[in-house]
Amino acid sequence: MYYLGLDIGSVSINGMVVDEEGNIVEELPYRRHFGLVFEHFKDVLSLVRERYGSTLVSVALTGMHGELIARILDLPFEAETIAQVVGTVYVVPGVRTIISMGGQDALLFQIGYDPGSDGRRWYLEDFEMNGPCASGTGSFIDQQAERLAYSMYDKSWKPSQEQLQRVLDDFIELGLKSTSPAPVACRCTVFTKSDMIHLQNKGEPLMNIIAGLHYGNAANFVSNIVGNRTVKDPVVFIGGMASNRLQVRAFRHYFPGITVPPYHTSMGALGVALIAIERGWRKLPSKDLSAITTMDYDFPRTGPLRLELSRFDEDNSLKVRKRKKWEGFLGIDIGSTTTKYAFIDRSGRLLHKCYVPTRGKPIEVVQYLLGVLLETTKGECRILGLATTGSGRNVVGDFVDADLIVDEITAHARGAVYMDPEVDTIFEIGGQDSKYIRIDRGHPVDFDMNKVCAAGTGSFLHELANKMNINIVGEFQEIAMASESPIHLTERCTVFMESDLAGYAQKGASREDLIAGLCYAVVHNYLNRVVGRRPVGRRVMFLGGPSLNKAVVAAFERVLNRPIIVPRHREVMGAYGAALLVREMYERGEVTPRQRDLKKLSEASVSFQEVICRADPKCHNECKLKVYDFVGRKSIWGGDCGRYEVSHGKEKETVNYIGKRNSLFFDLMSRWDVVPGRISAGKKGLPVIGMPLGLHFWEWAPFWVVIFRELGFPLLLSPQTTQDIARKGVESVTAETCFPVMVFHGHVRWLSQRVDMLFLPNVINMPSYSEKEAGFFCPLVESGQYITRFALNLDPARIVKPTVYLNDPPEYIADRIVEAMPGSLKPDRALLTRIVKKAFDVQLGFREELLKIGREVISRSNGEEPIWVISGRPYNLYDVRLNLQLGKQLARRGIKAITLDFVDLSLEDMSDFPRMYWGFGSRILRAAKHIARHEGLYGVHLTNFSCGPDSFIEHFYRHVLSEKPALVLEFDEHTAVAGVLTRVEAYNNVVKNYEFQRKSGNRQKMAM
């Protein structure tokens, strides 16, 4: 008699057949179901029945899709967590730790055994699994492999088991060749893609990026799931991801003894089959298998997709006419997923276009495009001006020696306005980014982009279509437009949406209704997450790859109830706009035609050498640089600070006021002989005190330095954040937090190995501008001592941890410090009170020095020159690893920018926010009010992914600045600066347009 166990997971169906003694008879082949769960289930069951006939006495199910089928067919079911452990313990007796990675889940099991049971009776000592994000799972790796291997809109491609497996095999094989994995942030799928694109555009070898992805995946698992748990051997790795040799190698970095057991993809199926034997489950389907496809459920519905107000031209081709002379301007848009060019003549007419996948190789793809242009023009092509845009604009611009390198916001706006001078709103959806642009009198005056969520982007549609085995070109829109009553899907992230689609499909929803519902979901995601409360005008133009999809255009039309303008050739609008911009420079005499050997460029063998950057003796990041040979011309790329990426700009560099503030900050502490990373001398016999340069210390370190140095203690302030400190912090956290808290863990960990005692105060609040304001720090800052102590297993006796209210009088603060000091080290209260007063004077003096500089900067401008005022928390504003060297980036672009600490905010009226709880929230909103009241000031706010207080303060910030353009930059552990620079450069152009219209008196509100 035989028992069949089936694990019906998010991505695949796995099966095991065992006999009644529990012996393994057969492992069924790994099978991806592409969302067609019922169909594949029926196929598998039919095959097994045909093979085993009446000897098959039991079918038991597990997995995320198994429960519904079990309920419909009256079959036994067990949760996959239990089934996986049962199967693994059977195959690997005595296993203590199980790491499981499947399509959507990443889990950790820690196993114990009853004494005297000879390893047979196990129990779960501990368990942890991922949250709702797909990062760190099999689907996540699948997406990255597909993105690098295939075009977004390639009609010849059809996802299938064989195709995807081949792509994954090649992907892994290439990564295994790497000896130097690149740093890739893997906490969020969007940041991962940003890091990978940035690395590709810098020319990082693909094998290093792929390896870095897997090592980042392992680090993310260790940080978020393992935490501070002790991992006991033997350790085994199971699930679909255990077939990935590169992921196994990455895990061996942390767990050298990890092994991949036999049947690793089918442990859940084996476990549920063994459970069936143990519990006496002898059940076969009680109904005909057709029952699972005829269920009748009541779904939320919406109206069908119809194009009634918009004109949609199915033919988007360009007829290439024969001509003797090809002369004009070339725009190249190097995007995250596709690269395209537009070649125009002197009148702006489009002569030729080409649209191909980037494939992670921007320079090679552009070489291919140049070859296409040469072939089209028979080699007779004279370029009068050349411009690049898109995420790869800088490195490709350098390679082709472009006349203009421009951000994609400006390029798309220029192309759209040329196509329709009356357009007032642009929706642009690309593979990685979604953009909103507001146009006033032909110029962009406001914009926004998606931040951390891929929902509402082209990759969102593409990845979900792939899961359902649907080609995104043609087939997708035909299926969607055929729906008479689309299902109303919630606007959620890719992972949630994938689960929703699977859940609805399980309940009998038709493919047509789901795909149509997905089009609506993309539109709602875009409007709510990107556009938000910004105005949408009467003439809306839709650009980007998804605008070629009739169903998505119809969804926009229905939701907005207005016509959507979809011009021909819109998929190359960024390249077209770039070509128009360089044409205008040519007409103004700013560009002179140069001899370009396109054939030589297209055929050039691009080589590079790797060197370590030594440009700044004070920098210890040791960034890898790539010194390229671009057809005999040396070009340097790489590094975290952007030093080399902008070396080709023409802007006059201005003062880096973030850097100036930091110089004053560290100079102040050096008066007490405190230098980051170096132990200062102290009185003999006193322990070395460690102080982490993170969180509130980025503002209050001088205050604490004065106190401990005046008491005579030797002091060690941790160094400025390095990549290594950040990485160790990420590995150390035991819960999901914002990146600054992770980095704080890294600083404390660095100090813990070098000092006798750690100073980790519980700071509750800060001095506020008004007695009515509470001035509280966020809970994670207040409790930093607790979370790092438990995460790093620190001895409480080594920690000085006073609970301090910084708005209390000096004597109260002195009392708290005395109480927290060990008995033999307690200072005299009266002495300490005097020292605390001195420390406040020093801190206040530092603050006054910044205000004095700020007054001088603003007065010199006199409202004529725009000044950016950057708000945020001190650790975002001044830790250059956290803000990706923003101060340097702005200064090199000639942008005058100061932080809110340079501005007197005490006189701002906060009566409309009477119960502002957060201290930094008050400062941020006061800064917004100050910016709103003063001409020539513009607001930039720095925030972090997963910042709780900013989740609502950001909305208030935008509300206060509703009459001015404002920029919000969201940071996390990623190192990719390209996305930040795109937003900065676009915002700079928006500010210039706004200033021009303000000074000319042409400002007008948009008609709604």
Side-chain angles (χ1 to χ4, degrees), residues 138-158:
S139 293
F140 173 64
I141 296 295
D142 287 354
Q143 287 175 10
Q144 307 315 314
E146 290 175 57
R147 188 182 65 79
L148 291 176
Y150 289 96
S151 163
M152 198 83 144
Y153 296 98
D154 183 354
K155 289 187 178 181
S156 66
W157 189 75
K158 192 81 172 176

Side-chain angles (χ1 to χ4, degrees), residues 862-875:
N862 198 28
E864 293 301 311
E865 181 184 10
I867 297 173
W868 296 13
V869 178
I870 309 173
S871 60
R873 290 153 180 79
Y875 38 84

Side-chain angles (χ1 to χ4, degrees), residues 621 658-659 661-662 665-666 692-699 718-723 725-726 739-747 872-888 899 901 942 944 971-972:
N621 280 349
I658 290 176
R661 180 270 181 193
N662 281 353
F665 182 73
F666 292 117
L693 187 55
L695 297 182
H696 96 288
F697 287 100
W698 269 105
E699 180 177 14
S718 61
Q720 294 196 58
T721 306
T722 62
Q723 195 62 29
I725 286 175
F739 188 50
V741 172
M742 293 181 177
V743 168
F744 186 71
H745 281 66
H747 282 276
R873 290 153 180 79
Y875 38 84
N876 279 334
L877 294 174
Y878 306 120
D879 188 327
V880 294
R881 168 59 188 85
L882 266 65
N883 65 35
L884 302 181
Q885 301 270 6
L886 182 65
K888 277 187 179 179
T899 66
D901 291 327
L942 307 192
N944 285 104
F971 294 91
D972 196 59

Side-chain angles (χ1 to χ4, degrees), residues 866-916:
I867 297 173
W868 296 13
V869 178
I870 309 173
S871 60
R873 290 153 180 79
Y875 38 84
N876 279 334
L877 294 174
Y878 306 120
D879 188 327
V880 294
R881 168 59 188 85
L882 266 65
N883 65 35
L884 302 181
Q885 301 270 6
L886 182 65
K888 277 187 179 179
Q889 306 289 4
L890 297 178
R892 287 191 177 133
R893 285 162 175 76
I895 298 166
K896 188 169 287 187
I898 58 177
T899 66
L900 52 69
D901 291 327
F902 288 87
V903 182
D904 184 359
L905 305 175
S906 60
L907 300 179
E908 300 305 323
D909 178 16
M910 288 286 286
S911 59
D912 47 347
F913 295 100
R915 289 179 291 277
M916 175 45 61

Side-chain angles (χ1 to χ4, degrees), residues 533-538 562 1005-1008:
R533 297 177 63 86
R534 285 177 162 82
V536 176
R538 303 309 305 178
R562 66 194 71 181
K1005 289 193 174 183
M1006 179 182 291
M1008 298 294 290

Side-chain angles (χ1 to χ4, degrees), residues 167-391:
V167 170
L168 283 170
D169 290 344
D170 293 345
F171 184 74
I172 293 163
E173 200 61 42
L174 182 57
L176 285 168
K177 296 176 182 177
S178 170
T179 56
S180 181
V184 178
C186 287
R187 176 154 76 141
C188 165
T189 55
V190 178
F191 290 145
T192 301
K193 291 177 185 176
S194 297
D195 264 2
M196 292 173 69
I197 291 164
H198 182 58
L199 289 164
Q200 291 160 22
N201 291 339
K202 290 199 300 183
E204 184 73 40
L206 209 52
M207 61 184 179
N208 291 348
I209 298 173
I210 295 169
L213 170 69
H214 287 79
Y215 277 83
N217 210 23
N220 189 59
F221 185 91
V222 170
S223 168
N224 292 335
I225 296 179
V226 177
N228 64 346
R229 295 175 174 85
T230 300
V231 175
K232 300 172 184 175
D233 289 325
V235 182
V236 299
F237 185 17
I238 66 170
M241 281 291 288
S243 301
N244 184 326
R245 289 181 295 147
L246 185 53
Q247 192 63 68
V248 175
R249 188 169 83 177
F251 268 126
R252 287 209 171 109
H253 178 72
Y254 297 96
F255 315 117
I258 194 170
T259 60
V260 179
Y263 315 115
H264 56 271
T265 62
S266 303
M267 288 301 189
L270 173 61
V272 78
L274 295 172
I275 290 169
I277 295 172
E278 181 184 348
R279 298 181 185 173
W281 290 343
R282 281 199 170 203
K283 276 197 170 186
L284 296 173
S286 61
K287 302 176 184 175
D288 187 88
L289 294 186
S290 61
I292 60 175
T293 57
T294 57
M295 299 293 290
D296 186 22
Y297 286 88
D298 185 23
F299 301 113
R301 302 281 183 173
T302 188
L305 294 171
R306 300 286 185 268
L307 275 176
E308 297 171 345
L309 305 175
S310 309
R311 179 183 173 187
F312 187 91
D313 195 338
E314 295 278 3
D315 181 13
N316 197 47
S317 62
L318 176 66
K319 292 182 180 178
V320 181
R321 298 176 181 175
K322 290 183 179 180
R323 56 184 72 238
K324 295 180 181 178
K325 186 178 181 182
W326 289 80
E327 181 181 84
F329 305 88
L330 181 64
I332 308 175
D333 182 356
I334 310 94
S336 58
T337 54
T338 58
T339 297
K340 40 272 179 192
Y341 75 65
F343 187 59
I344 65 173
D345 63 15
R346 290 174 183 262
S347 68
R349 181 175 53 181
L350 184 63
L351 302 180
H352 198 254
K353 67 177 182 177
C354 193
Y355 182 98
V356 296
T358 304
R359 299 182 187 274
K361 298 178 179 179
I363 291 176
E364 289 90 332
V365 168
V366 167
Q367 287 183 294
Y368 168 78
L369 288 178
L370 293 177
V372 170
L373 182 60
L374 283 170
E375 184 180 344
T376 301
T377 61
K378 311 294 186 191
E380 298 296 323
C381 179
R382 182 170 181 245
I383 295 178
L384 302 176
L386 193 157
T388 58
T389 188
S391 60

Side-chain angles (χ1 to χ4, degrees), residues 391-590:
S391 60
R393 62 188 178 276
N394 286 308
V395 68
V396 170
D398 192 17
F399 171 65
V400 298
D401 198 16
D403 299 297
L404 172 66
I405 298 174
V406 63
D407 67 274
E408 51 264 48
I409 302 285
T410 304
H412 277 96
R414 185 67 195 94
V417 170
Y418 189 85
M419 285 286 187
D420 183 350
E422 300 301 316
V423 67
D424 54 25
T425 308
I426 299 169
F427 295 163
E428 197 274 332
I429 299 181
Q432 174 73 6
D433 291 322
S434 293
K435 309 171 188 76
Y436 158 89
I437 310 170
R438 179 157 65 94
I439 304 294
D440 187 0
R441 297 181 181 271
H443 297 285
V445 292
D446 195 11
F447 78 97
D448 205 355
M449 298 172 67
N450 65 313
K451 295 191 283 292
V452 301
C453 188
T457 66
S459 61
F460 173 79
L461 277 177
H462 185 231
E463 288 156 8
L464 290 172
N466 284 355
K467 294 290 180 188
M468 301 182 75
N469 205 21
I470 296 171
N471 193 310
I472 195 70
V473 182
E475 184 183 9
F476 186 98
Q477 71 178 24
E478 289 164 11
I479 292 172
M481 297 296 286
S483 169
E484 290 300 324
S485 55
I487 290 175
H488 180 72
L489 299 168
T490 53
E491 44 183 277
R492 286 142 75 81
C493 79
T494 313
V495 185
F496 290 148
M497 189 63 73
E498 194 174 313
S499 299
D500 283 354
L501 288 173
Y504 281 124
Q506 288 292 69
K507 295 175 181 177
S510 74
R511 220 173 186 202
E512 291 81 3
D513 293 347
L514 285 174
I515 294 300
L518 186 57
C519 294
Y520 276 114
V522 167
V523 168
H524 285 297
N525 262 315
Y526 174 84
L527 293 174
N528 291 333
R529 295 171 186 266
V530 180
V531 179
R533 297 177 63 86
R534 285 177 162 82
V536 176
R538 303 309 305 178
R539 292 192 67 78
V540 179
M541 184 178 288
F542 181 23
L543 306 174
S547 69
L548 298 173
N549 190 314
K550 185 194 296 185
V552 179
V553 177
F556 267 117
E557 178 188 297
R558 187 170 180 89
V559 171
L560 294 174
N561 192 30
R562 66 194 71 181
I564 305 298
I565 302 167
V566 278
R568 294 188 65 192
H569 317 306
R570 54 196 173 278
E571 79 283 9
V572 298
M573 193 61 71
Y576 182 67
L580 289 171
L581 288 166
V582 79
R583 183 193 68 149
E584 290 163 9
M585 292 176 66
Y586 173 84
E587 290 171 347
R588 294 193 298 266
E590 297 170 10

